């Protein structure tokens, strides 16, 4: 045995200070447990152990292949179903190349297939091809050909973008009409933005995969052999029972396994559909609407911003510094700039920079992205650290089980052929020269069947799959808690999180922004949005700056209803404020034109536009972080509309910004300057490269935007802190604003804490050396004015310190930090598509309280798996010991093949279903995080399972060897019947022990094992069904299951034997356990052996 023999059982080491046991931690740990100590040093990463993967998120293909090869597997297709397809990337790349080269042919074939399905009634309505050209002046084929071939001459022939828009009956400013008929007509003419999905596996495929288990195949062969021999020697009436009962039990195991697997696959399918359903903004009837990507139609006008996914093929209407990442379609990782010379946009690509708007010209299977998606199946596979470790554990137990099975087989065969075994009537089974060949083969088949059945019970094939079961259950429930899991491993890794680096805006706060303070005209305005004290010139400049330098929109309904303002929360707040000042949004946009734009940048914390008024005047408007924009200003406009030098007033404005920041307000400054037309580049190429002047600005206004703390966020932070998870705030806002919000949320306990480096500016942190950053990172609680790169540096420093880091992010530039973190959490409402794709979990309501719920679920996953391990190992140990001892001593086993298969069903499938679906409890949040290398079987679990196993073994051995006298059967004249009653009693008592022990497994470290049982109806149902089925098996399936009907006294005795496990569990929990994990003692010999070998 290699290192893998010790790994799964006690895997492996712990990450320094997080040495609490999930199944048996306490809310407060001694100091020496929370920091590295001598015995922990022995639990460091073991490079020789293929199962020692503490993080599978960015693991190499070699390490993933290595653990698969090291696993002892009986059914590879089932065991590795939900692991990563290591050839997926290559397959994807081949499909992409093929589609690029043969798109026309593939599309024609797909259209033909869909048309055929439609004719026969099997087609799905959502993926039907276009069926009528409608009343549009351009047909589908011309559009598809023009966009796919990126044919500029064809575009010019149609009159450019404007001409194509006219032929598609689209207003380039306002989009298509906002009505159902219009959308339906376009879907009929040009198709819908969907593609035929590859069908998932049918139930029969799951049946076939469940059947692939090597031991089950051997048992079927043994059953068929036994059936043939039985019918030959005893006739059909009696002879079919032995073989038939094993075959039926095997088929039952296969069917139950297939049903369980099929249900899981449907859950994953639903989650994948949810992941694909991107929500995006579209312009219809002059109004900005949020719709599903599936509802985009040809002719739609779609605004594009940094981080968006291009939802369909199209042509650029207008754009500023628009850059597209086309790597998902071309395979080349270069960024392509889009302008009027290169206006074609491909579906599935990402906006890397800039802003723009596009006209949709192709959707669904009329795009290369649609063809690619239709030809590849969604990969649900991805191993998790726990899954890898459980494969290690299953391998270790499997090796032990195989060894036991071989020992039992040899012992039974030796005893049989030496004539020391007797049948139920007391006659010697084998007499040399007298026993017929047929009887010998029949007896040997029975012995072999018992050995194989021991392997079925001993090799916990269902153990690694229990992770998938509990993750599938958790993921479904987490959707209700507003968390969409994109990567399975994140679900369990969240249980180990030691720190959460959270954004402020929208996560800790409500993201419902309003302007509550304004400084304009050189002083503070009495009412933030009352223009009465301001000169019209100042109001006009503010209005122009806000209307043009925005990605938002103001829509006036034709029926005169309330004005609709759209955009990001900050944009909406400023647009609402300017609207109340008297801004005429549409008028300003029509009277002046943007000639160049610098979209808001999280590095520079500001954005600007150059606006041409008439033919001669150019104004440059800037908007951004107040202190940064203020530093660029040399004058301000007073309330009379006169320009004044800012020098004397600069300190006044700085103090105003500080005062607003201390009141938790986000401060934004609006400034402008004029520019000589002669100094503006004439050529488009030069204009695209032109850096907007940002010096000598005129300050127009500073606004303070209130974004209140989310209700319940203070309690959520408190729960995290008590659970040993440190919450850090990382924000782009002013340090004073960040400090005020941190105090309000409870991230900072008091003002006295607010000193460097507890609160630090991003700039200060990034200028430190790598070593200094690692030291300072431990102390940081609040980081203000941080850039996405500062967030990345903080994540890297914390991970080097041994922390398991969860980080939230919403912007495109957050992608590296989300990718680097152990768990990346993107925001469902404010997050860009790039951020979502780089993340592991999407927080659908952007709420920090939902992040805390994810932590609870992560801990619940780990705890549920440990409950299942404790339950399964107890069954394993007891079943193996009783059969080995009985086989060695008497040459027979009390637990027959059919009975062991029933126990296996209780243990593997029903046990996993009952225990892996336990809902999380508050108790989980009273512990410190699970160590990154925490042993799977903690000392508390060892204690529990050994107490229960020894009790079960003791009772069963007493019944096996002294059962006839203990049960008062020794006087029975029918010895064969007495033995059958005794063996049935052993089987019944054994199953009762498992049913009652299932309750103990629910709470490995709590005295009250019944708390919350009513909240898990599935658990109660499974226990109830198991009990009823046991009654049926014992009472009515006598010959079939090798049982006889028991009297009510023996049933009562069986139940009492099972019932004793409850008080025994309470007594067992009073036994103290050492803090040092058992793995230390188990691993010492291996380490010494390796050290001696390498010396």
């Amino acid at each position: 045995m290699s290192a893998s023999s010790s790994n799964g059982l006690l895997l492996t080491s712990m990450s320094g200070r997080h040495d609490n046991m999930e199944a048996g931690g306490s809310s407060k740990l001694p100091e020496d447990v929370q920091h590295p100590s001598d015995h922990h040093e022995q639990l460091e990463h073991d490079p020789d152990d293929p199962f020692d993967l503490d993080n599978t998120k960015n693991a190499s293909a070699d390490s993933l292949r290595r653990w698969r090869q090291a696993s002892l597997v009986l059914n590879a297709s089932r065991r590795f179903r939900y692991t990563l397809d290591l050839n997926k990337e290559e397959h994807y790349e081949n499909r992409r190349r093929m589609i690029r080269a043969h798109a026309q042919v593939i599309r024609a074939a797909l259209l033909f297939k869909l048309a055929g399905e439609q004719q026969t009634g099997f087609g799905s309505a959502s993926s039907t091809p276009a069926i009528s050209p409608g009343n549009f002046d351009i047909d589908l084929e011309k559009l598809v050909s023009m966009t796919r071939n990126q044919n500029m001459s064809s575009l010019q022939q149609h009159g450019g973008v404007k001409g194509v828009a006219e032929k598609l009956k689209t207003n380039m400013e306002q989009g298509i009409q906002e009505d159902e008929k219009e959308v339906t007509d376009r879907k009929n003419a040009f198709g819908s933005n969907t593609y035929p999905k590859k069908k998932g596996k049918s139930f029969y495929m799951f049946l076939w995969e469940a059947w692939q288990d090597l031991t089950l195949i051997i048992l079927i062969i043994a059953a068929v052999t036994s059936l043939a021999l039985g019918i030959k020697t005893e006739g059909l009436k009696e002879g079919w029972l032995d073989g038939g009962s094993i075959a039926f039990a095997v088929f039952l195991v296969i069917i139950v396994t297939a049903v369980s697997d099929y249900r899981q696959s449907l859950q994953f399918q639903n989650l994948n559909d949810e992941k694909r359903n991107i929500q995006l903004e579209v312009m219809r009837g002059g109004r900005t609407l949020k719709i599903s990507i599936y509802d985009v139609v040809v002719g739609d006008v779609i605004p594009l911003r940094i981080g968006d996914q291009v939802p369909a093929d199209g042509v650029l209407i207008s754009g500023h510094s628009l850059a597209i990442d086309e790597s998902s379609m071309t395979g080349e990782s270069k960024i392509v700039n889009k302008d009027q010379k290169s206006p074609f946009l491909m579906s599935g690509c990402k906006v890397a920079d800039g802003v723009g708007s596009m006209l949709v010209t192709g959707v669904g299977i009329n795009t290369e992205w649609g063809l690619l998606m239709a030809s590849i199946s969604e990969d649900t596979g991805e191993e998790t650290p726990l899954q890898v470790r459980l494969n290690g554990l299953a391998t270790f137990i499997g090796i032990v089980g195989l060894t036991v099975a071989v020992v039992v087989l040899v012992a039974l065969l030796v005893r049989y052929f030496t004539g020391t075994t007797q049948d139920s009537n007391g006659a010697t089974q084998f007499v040399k020269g007298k026993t017929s060949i047929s009887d010998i083969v029949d007896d040997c088949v029975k012995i072999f069947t018992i050995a194989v059945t021991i392997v079925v019970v001993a090799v916990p094939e269902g153990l690694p799959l229990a992770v998938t079961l509990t993750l599938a259950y958790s993921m479904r429930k987490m959707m209700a808690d507003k968390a969409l899991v994109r990567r399975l491993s994140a679900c369990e890794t969240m249980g180990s999180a030691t720190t959460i680096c959270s954004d402020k805006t929208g996560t800790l706060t409500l993201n419902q922004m309003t302007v509550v303070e304004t400084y304009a005209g050189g002083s503070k305005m009495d009412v933030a949005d009352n223009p009465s004290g301001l000169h019209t010139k100042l109001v006009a400049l503010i209005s122009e700056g806000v209307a043009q330098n925005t990605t938002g929109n103001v829509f006036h309904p034709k029926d005169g209803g309330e004005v609709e303002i759209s955009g990001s929360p900050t944009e909406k707040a400023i647009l609402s404020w300017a609207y109340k000042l008297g801004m005429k949004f549409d008028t300003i946009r029509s009277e002046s034109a943007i000639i160049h734009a610098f979209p808001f940048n999280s590095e520079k914390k500001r954005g600007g536009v150059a606006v041409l008024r008439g033919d001669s005047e150019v104004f440059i408007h800037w908007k951004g972080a107040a202190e940064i924009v203020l530093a660029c200003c040399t004058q301000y406009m007073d309330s009379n509309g006169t320009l004044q030098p800012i020098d004397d007033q600069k300190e006044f404005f700085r103090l105003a910004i500080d005062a607003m920041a201390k009141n938790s307000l986000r401060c934004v400054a609006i400034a402008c300057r004029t520019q000589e037309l002669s100094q503006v580049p004439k050529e488009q190429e030069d204009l695209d490269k032109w850096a907007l002047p940002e010096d000598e600005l005129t300050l127009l206004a500073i606004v303070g935007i209130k974004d209140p703390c989310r209700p319940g966020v203070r309690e959520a932070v408190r729960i995290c802190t008590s659970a040993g998870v440190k919450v850090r705030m990382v924000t782009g806002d002013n340090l004073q604003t960040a400090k005020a919000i941190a105090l309000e949320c409870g991230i900072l306990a008091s003002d006295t804490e607010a000193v460097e480096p507890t609160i630090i500016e991003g700039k200060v942190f990034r200028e430190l050396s790598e070593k200094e950053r690692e030291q300072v990172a431990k102390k940081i609680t609040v980081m203000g004015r941080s850039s996405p790169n500062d967030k990345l540096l903080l994540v890297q420093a914390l991970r080097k310190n041994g922390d398991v880091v969860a980080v939230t992010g919403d912007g495109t530039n957050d992608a590296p930090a989300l990718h680097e973190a152990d768990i990346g959490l993107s925001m469902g409402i404010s997050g860009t598509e790039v951020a979502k794709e780089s993340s592991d979990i999407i927080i659908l309501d952007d709420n920090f309280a939902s992040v805390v719920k994810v932590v609870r679920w992560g801990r619940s996953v780990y705890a549920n798996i440990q409950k299942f391990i404790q339950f399964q190992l107890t069954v394993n140990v007891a079943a193996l010991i009783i059969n080995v001892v009985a086989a060695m001593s008497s040459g027979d086993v009390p637990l027959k093949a059919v009975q062991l298969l029933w126990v296996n069903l209780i243990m593997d499938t029903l046990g996993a279903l009952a225990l892996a679906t336990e809902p999380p409890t508050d108790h989980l949040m009273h512990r410190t995080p699970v160590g990154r290398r925490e042993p799977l079987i903690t000392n508390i679990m060892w204690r529990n399972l050994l107490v229960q196993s020894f009790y079960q073994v003791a009772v069963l051995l007493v019944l096996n060897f002294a059962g006839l006298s203990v049960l008062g059967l020794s006087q029975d004249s029918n010895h064969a019947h007495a033995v059958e009653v005794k063996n049935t009693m052993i089987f019944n008592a054994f199953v009762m022990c498992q049913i009652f022990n299932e309750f103990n497994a629910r709470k490995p470290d709590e005295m009250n094992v019944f708390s919350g049982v009513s909240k898990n109806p599935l658990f109660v149902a499974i226990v109830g069904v198991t009990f009823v089925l046991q009654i049926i098996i014992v009472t009515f399936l006598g010959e079939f299951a090798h049982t006889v009907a028991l009297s009510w006294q023996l049933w009562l005795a069986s139940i009492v034997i099972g019932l004793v496990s409850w008080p025994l569990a309470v007594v067992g929990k009073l036994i103290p356990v050492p803090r040092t994990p058992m793995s230390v003692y188990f691993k010492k010999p291996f380490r010494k052996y390796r050290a001696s070998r390498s010396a």
Side-chain angles (χ1 to χ4, degrees):
M1 265 183 283
S2 70
S4 65
S5 63
S6 68
N7 68 65
L9 192 56
L10 311 144
L11 197 89
T12 39
S13 69
M14 305 182 193
S15 69
R17 63 191 186 86
H18 315 300
D19 176 29
N20 189 20
M21 290 172 236
E22 178 61 21
S26 58
S27 55
K28 290 189 179 177
L29 296 178
E31 198 62 32
D32 63 327
V33 179
Q34 295 186 14
H35 293 276
S37 63
D38 295 339
H39 67 258
H40 292 165
E41 287 169 16
Q42 299 174 58
L43 292 169
E44 64 209 9
H45 173 64
D46 184 353
D48 297 322
D49 186 347
F51 300 101
D52 189 2
L53 277 179
D54 57 272
N55 194 344
T56 56
K57 184 173 174 180
N58 300 314
S60 68
D62 283 344
S63 61
L64 298 180
R65 200 170 276 114
R66 194 167 153 239
W67 78 258
R68 285 168 173 72
Q69 291 164 352
S71 297
L72 173 72
V73 180
L74 300 175
N75 185 350
S77 61
R78 182 169 184 250
R79 177 79 74 87
F80 298 134
R81 181 186 299 130
Y82 294 113
T83 54
L84 185 70
D85 177 3
L86 297 175
N87 300 318
K88 183 187 78 168
E89 285 300 319
E90 189 183 342
H91 172 67
Y92 179 89
E93 183 62 20
N94 290 339
R95 294 298 304 175
R96 188 185 57 71
R97 280 196 195 125
M98 193 174 89
I99 283 164
R100 294 232 79 196
H102 309 290
Q104 200 69 30
V105 179
I106 294 166
R107 176 171 168 267
L110 200 52
L111 286 170
F112 182 76
K113 181 186 167 197
L114 289 171
E117 284 178 353
Q118 205 174 24
Q119 290 262 316
T120 53
F122 293 112
S124 117
S126 63
S127 58
T128 50
I131 52 172
S132 70
N135 58 347
F136 301 100
D137 301 330
I138 185 168
D139 66 37
L140 173 64
E141 294 306 321
K142 285 179 182 171
L143 268 179
V144 170
S145 170
M146 177 186 76
T147 313
R148 176 175 300 120
N149 301 323
Q150 304 204 352
N151 191 330
M152 279 300 291
S153 61
S154 177
L155 180 64
Q156 296 309 323
Q157 282 170 18
H158 290 298
V161 184
K162 192 175 179 185
V164 173
E166 284 171 2
K167 289 180 179 182
L168 288 172
K169 309 281 193 289
T170 296
N171 181 318
M172 290 201 298
E173 295 292 322
Q174 301 197 338
I176 65 171
Q177 287 307 305
E178 189 191 345
D179 96 53
E180 271 304 311
K181 187 179 179 303
E182 175 88 2
V183 172
T184 306
D185 286 348
R186 289 175 185 273
K187 281 184 179 177
N188 288 336
F190 303 107
S192 61
N193 202 25
T194 55
Y195 47 85
K197 292 173 195 163
K198 280 206 139 186
K199 286 177 183 170
K201 285 182 186 172
S202 69
F203 175 67
Y204 300 106
M205 282 300 295
F206 285 96
L207 272 177
W208 174 251
E209 282 189 3
W211 156 266
Q212 301 300 304
D213 192 307
L214 181 62
T215 49
L216 294 182
I217 292 169
I218 293 169
L219 282 176
I220 288 286
I221 294 167
V224 170
T225 310
S226 180
L227 197 63
L229 288 167
I231 292 170
K232 184 185 173 188
T233 55
E234 298 174 44
L236 184 61
K237 192 174 180 184
E238 298 289 326
W240 73 274
L241 284 168
D242 275 357
S245 59
I246 292 170
F248 179 78
V250 169
F251 284 126
L252 186 65
V253 169
I254 288 170
I255 288 165
V256 171
T257 301
V259 168
S260 174
D261 291 351
Y262 182 60
R263 285 184 71 253
Q264 279 181 51
S265 80
L266 291 179
Q267 287 182 3
F268 284 125
Q269 215 170 301
N270 292 338
L271 285 162
N272 282 327
D273 290 343
E274 199 67 41
K275 281 191 275 187
R276 289 195 203 103
N277 190 10
I278 296 166
Q279 298 295 308
L280 53 92
E281 284 186 352
V282 63
M283 187 71 77
R284 287 184 182 171
R287 175 185 291 175
T288 305
L289 302 174
K290 205 138 199 173
I291 64 168
S292 162
I293 191 169
Y294 300 134
D295 295 330
V296 170
V297 292
V298 168
D300 264 329
V301 172
I302 295 175
L304 299 172
R305 301 185 188 95
I306 297 177
D308 286 351
Q309 178 173 313
V310 179
D313 282 1
V315 188
L316 183 69
I317 295 172
S318 65
H320 299 286
S321 312
L322 189 66
I324 305 290
D325 177 3
E326 293 185 348
S327 58
S328 59
M329 287 311 299
T330 63
E332 297 169 19
S333 56
K334 65 176 185 179
I335 305 298
V336 181
N337 291 310
K338 294 291 173 182
D339 50 32
Q340 297 310 319
K341 290 180 183 173
S342 173
F344 293 103
L345 297 156
M346 278 194 290
S347 178
C349 300
K350 304 288 186 303
V351 180
D353 198 7
V355 291
S357 62
M358 68 176 279
L359 173 70
V360 174
T361 57
V363 293
I365 58 167
N366 300 317
T367 70
E368 286 182 18
W369 178 255
L371 291 176
L372 182 61
M373 290 294 103
S375 67
I376 59 171
S377 52
E378 181 72 24
D379 179 39
T380 52
E382 176 234 342
E383 43 262 79
T384 73
L386 203 49
Q387 207 173 5
V388 177
R389 293 170 69 178
L390 283 171
N391 271 287
L393 177 57
T395 298
F396 175 79
I397 299 168
I399 290 167
V400 173
L402 277 172
T403 309
V404 169
V406 170
V407 169
V408 169
L409 180 65
V410 171
L412 289 177
L413 288 173
V414 168
R415 289 189 63 92
Y416 177 78
F417 286 110
T418 53
T420 53
T421 57
Q422 296 173 330
D423 61 19
S424 56
N425 296 313
T428 303
Q429 282 184 300
F430 176 79
V431 179
K432 193 173 181 182
K434 289 185 181 179
T435 308
S436 67
I437 296 295
S438 177
D439 285 344
I440 292 171
V441 172
D442 194 26
D443 290 337
C444 286
V445 166
K446 284 178 183 174
I447 290 169
F448 185 69
T449 303
I450 288 164
V452 173
T453 311
I454 287 172
V455 175
V456 174
V457 176
V459 179
E461 198 71 1
L463 193 53
L465 295 168
V467 183
T468 319
L469 182 69
T470 190
L471 286 173
Y473 168 78
S474 302
M475 285 164 74
R476 188 162 49 86
K477 292 290 185 183
M478 283 165 76
M479 278 291 286
D481 280 344
K482 304 297 180 189
L484 172 61
V485 179
R486 295 190 74 255
R487 197 168 280 118
L488 271 178
S489 57
C491 196
E492 74 185 40
T493 309
M494 203 64 187
S496 302
T498 58
T499 185
I500 300 171
C501 299
S502 174
D503 282 340
K504 174 186 79 70
T505 307
T507 309
L508 296 168
T509 61
L510 280 169
N511 220 4
Q512 293 171 0
M513 301 194 186
T514 44
V515 174
V516 293
E517 277 190 41
T518 304
Y519 285 80
S523 62
K524 183 178 178 180
M525 291 170 62
D526 294 334
V527 179
D529 49 18
N530 183 358
S532 58
L534 302 178
H535 196 274
T536 51
K537 187 179 176 184
L538 177 57
V539 173
L541 279 171
I542 289 171
S543 298
E544 184 180 74
V546 171
Q548 292 287 22
N549 189 15
T550 184
T551 53
N553 186 45
V554 178
F555 174 73
H556 295 270
K558 289 175 184 172
D559 58 9
E562 198 175 323
V563 68
E564 292 175 22
I565 296 173
S566 59
S568 71
T570 308
E571 294 281 15
K572 281 163 77 174
I574 293 171
L575 283 168
S576 299
W577 166 76
Y579 178 73
K580 287 170 186 170
L581 286 181
M583 173 187 73
K584 301 280 186 289
F585 186 82
D586 292 333
T587 308
I588 291 167
R589 303 269 289 214
S590 62
E591 286 176 353
S592 56
I594 298 171
I595 54 173
H596 187 52
F598 176 83
F600 180 84
N601 184 300
S602 53
E603 293 283 344
K604 286 202 162 190
K605 307 287 182 202
R606 59 191 180 275
V609 290
V611 174
L612 179 65
R613 287 187 189 169
D615 297 325
S616 55
E617 239 181 337
V618 175
F619 269 82
I620 292 166
H621 291 277
W622 284 97
K623 178 178 73 184
E627 69 272 29
I628 293 172
V629 172
L630 179 64
C632 302
C633 294
T634 54
Q635 48 192 2
Y636 71 96
M637 185 171 281
D638 65 18
S639 54
N640 300 315
T642 311
L643 296 179
Q644 303 287 353
I646 204 167
D647 297 340
D648 299 341
Q649 287 288 87
K650 218 160 199 173
E651 191 56 32
F652 165 75
F653 288 125
R654 277 203 197 99
L655 290 171
I657 292 167
D658 270 354
M660 286 193 282
K662 281 173 183 170
N663 288 326
S664 317
L665 302 186
R666 169 177 276 189
C667 304
V668 176
I670 297 163
C672 71
R673 60 164 286 168
T674 55
Q675 182 77 6
E676 292 293 327
L677 187 59
S678 57
Q679 293 177 347
V680 177
K682 300 284 185 292
E683 297 298 321
Q684 186 63 44
E685 223 170 285
D686 298 329
L687 191 62
D688 289 342
K689 294 173 188 171
W690 182 42
L692 285 180
E694 49 189 0
D695 57 339
E696 298 182 5
L697 302 183
T698 299
L699 182 69
L700 302 176
I702 298 171
V703 294
I705 302 171
K706 181 72 177 169
D707 184 13
C709 259
R710 282 186 181 274
V713 79
R714 192 177 183 89
E715 176 61 12
V717 170
R718 187 198 64 73
I719 290 169
C720 277
T721 307
S722 68
V725 182
K726 182 170 176 65
V727 180
R728 293 175 161 90
M729 182 203 286
V730 183
T731 177
D733 271 354
N734 180 306
L735 200 57
Q736 294 298 333
T737 308
K739 174 187 159 185
I741 292 284
L743 285 165
E744 203 177 329
C745 294
I747 293 171
L748 285 174
S750 63
D751 246 333
T752 53
E753 277 187 24
V755 291
E756 200 172 294
T758 305
I759 70 166
I760 194 170
E761 272 205 357
K763 184 184 174 188
V764 176
F765 181 69
R766 89 178 72 113
E767 286 170 354
L768 298 172
S769 69
E770 193 175 328
K771 201 74 191 159
E772 287 171 329
R773 280 202 296 269
E774 285 175 36
Q775 292 302 314
V776 169
K778 298 175 193 172
K779 301 169 187 172
I780 293 174
T781 303
V782 176
M783 186 186 285
R785 280 289 174 246
S786 72
S787 68
N789 193 50
D790 298 332
K791 191 187 278 189
L792 176 63
L793 291 172
L794 177 62
V795 169
Q796 288 170 337
L798 289 168
R799 290 192 74 214
K800 280 179 186 170
N801 286 332
D803 274 295
V804 179
V805 184
V807 66
T808 70
D810 52 14
T812 304
N813 294 335
D814 287 328
L818 290 168
H819 187 264
E820 179 73 19
D822 294 283
I823 313 102
L825 303 155
S826 64
M827 299 296 114
I829 299 169
S830 60
T832 63
E833 279 311 308
V834 170
K836 288 175 189 174
E837 283 205 6
S838 298
S839 68
D840 306 301
I841 297 173
I842 300 172
I843 304 300
L844 298 173
D845 61 354
D846 293 15
N847 191 345
F848 185 77
S850 298
V851 177
V852 179
K853 286 176 186 172
V854 173
V855 175
R856 279 177 96 230
W857 277 109
R859 293 187 176 195
S860 175
V861 167
Y862 199 89
N864 286 352
I865 294 301
Q866 287 188 311
K867 291 168 190 177
F868 180 55
I869 291 170
Q870 182 180 307
F871 174 67
Q872 190 167 47
L873 286 189
T874 306
V875 185
N876 277 48
V877 171
L880 290 178
I881 291 176
I882 179 72
N883 271 4
V884 170
V885 173
M888 294 291 207
S889 57
S890 64
D892 193 16
V893 288
L895 296 171
K896 306 298 180 193
V898 176
Q899 295 167 357
L900 283 173
L901 284 170
W902 168 234
V903 169
N904 184 63
L905 200 61
I906 295 173
M907 180 178 73
D908 250 17
T909 309
L910 298 178
L913 206 58
L915 293 169
T917 56
E918 279 279 308
T921 61
D922 292 337
H923 182 69
L924 292 167
M925 297 303 281
H926 297 154
R927 306 166 175 168
T928 54
V930 184
R932 203 196 279 265
R933 298 179 180 283
E934 185 91 11
L936 270 178
I937 306 175
T938 64
N939 289 3
I940 283 175
M941 289 167 67
W942 274 118
R943 177 196 64 198
N944 295 346
L945 76 88
L946 288 174
V947 166
Q948 293 295 334
S949 298
F950 287 153
Y951 165 68
Q952 289 179 21
V953 168
V955 170
L956 297 183
L957 287 179
V958 167
L959 286 174
N960 190 52
F961 294 110
L964 293 176
S965 56
V966 169
L967 300 172
L969 300 169
S970 50
Q971 305 304 317
D972 197 323
S973 57
N974 187 345
H975 179 72
H977 179 262
V979 170
E980 283 180 341
V981 171
K982 179 200 78 170
N983 285 345
T984 303
M985 184 64 188
I986 290 172
F987 169 55
N988 205 36
F990 185 56
V991 171
M992 288 302 128
C993 283
Q994 308 326 318
I995 290 173
F996 285 97
N997 191 39
E998 214 157 344
F999 285 89
N1000 293 330
R1002 289 184 67 246
K1003 305 286 179 184
D1005 58 338
E1006 292 178 57
M1007 290 296 185
N1008 182 5
V1009 296
F1010 306 106
S1011 68
V1013 76
S1014 58
K1015 292 178 184 172
N1016 190 355
L1018 186 61
F1019 178 87
V1020 177
I1022 286 170
V1023 169
V1025 167
T1026 309
F1027 189 75
V1028 170
L1029 287 173
Q1030 180 65 13
I1031 293 171
I1032 294 168
I1033 287 167
V1034 171
T1035 311
F1036 303 107
L1037 301 179
E1039 291 182 326
F1040 186 81
H1042 298 284
T1043 59
V1044 290
L1046 297 176
S1047 65
W1048 70 266
Q1049 292 94 336
L1050 291 179
W1051 267 104
L1052 188 61
S1054 300
I1055 291 169
V1056 168
I1057 288 169
L1059 200 60
V1060 170
S1061 70
W1062 286 350
L1064 190 68
V1066 173
V1067 173
K1069 284 168 188 172
L1070 298 174
I1071 301 170
V1073 293
R1075 237 180 13 243
T1076 305
M1078 295 279 280
S1079 42
V1080 171
Y1081 307 115
F1082 274 84
K1083 283 209 158 194
K1084 267 182 184 173
F1086 287 99
R1087 289 181 181 277
K1088 281 179 182 173
Y1089 173 70
R1090 270 196 221 132
S1092 64
R1093 286 284 300 272
S1094 58

